[in-house]
Amino acid sequence: MRSILTWTTVAAAILAQAFITVRLWRSELCSRHQKLLQSALSWLLPVAGCFIVYSGLRQEDDVSRPTPNTEMESDDEE
C-alpha cells in the first residue's frame, strides 16, 4: 500500500512539473535565459521550485492584453 502511494505521489509531481514546464516555455513574458533558469529551478527543487515558477506564471494571467481593434477589420471590408 505504501509503495502505491509513493509511486502515485511521484507520478503526480512529475506531471505537475511537466505541465508547468510546458506552460513556462509557451509564455511570452520571459526570455529564453529566464526560461532555462526557471525550468532548472522547477526540476531541481521539485515542490518549492514548481510553486515559485507557477506563481510567476500566474502573474502572466493578470497582465492585461490589448483588445483587438474591430474598426480596422471593418475598414478592410469596404
Side-chain angles (χ1 to χ4, degrees):
M1 181 66 178
R2 183 182 285 181
S3 176
I4 293 172
L5 183 60
T6 301
W7 285 109
T8 303
T9 303
V10 169
I14 290 172
L15 286 173
Q17 286 175 264
F19 170 76
I20 290 171
T21 302
V22 168
R23 186 165 174 204
L24 171 67
W25 281 93
R26 288 183 178 175
S27 170
E28 296 178 2
L29 291 180
C30 300
S31 69
R32 185 174 190 272
H33 181 71
Q34 289 173 323
K35 290 177 184 179
L36 285 170
L37 292 176
Q38 289 180 4
S39 294
L41 176 69
S42 172
W43 287 96
L44 294 175
L45 297 172
V47 177
C50 280
F51 281 120
I52 292 168
V53 173
Y54 182 71
S55 67
L57 291 173
R58 294 274 320 263
Q59 291 178 358
E60 180 182 64
D61 295 338
D62 295 338
V63 173
S64 63
R65 291 178 176 78
T67 56
N69 188 352
T70 56
E71 292 178 7
M72 293 294 289
E73 293 173 7
S74 63
D75 289 343
D76 293 338
E77 293 173 2
E78 292 178 5

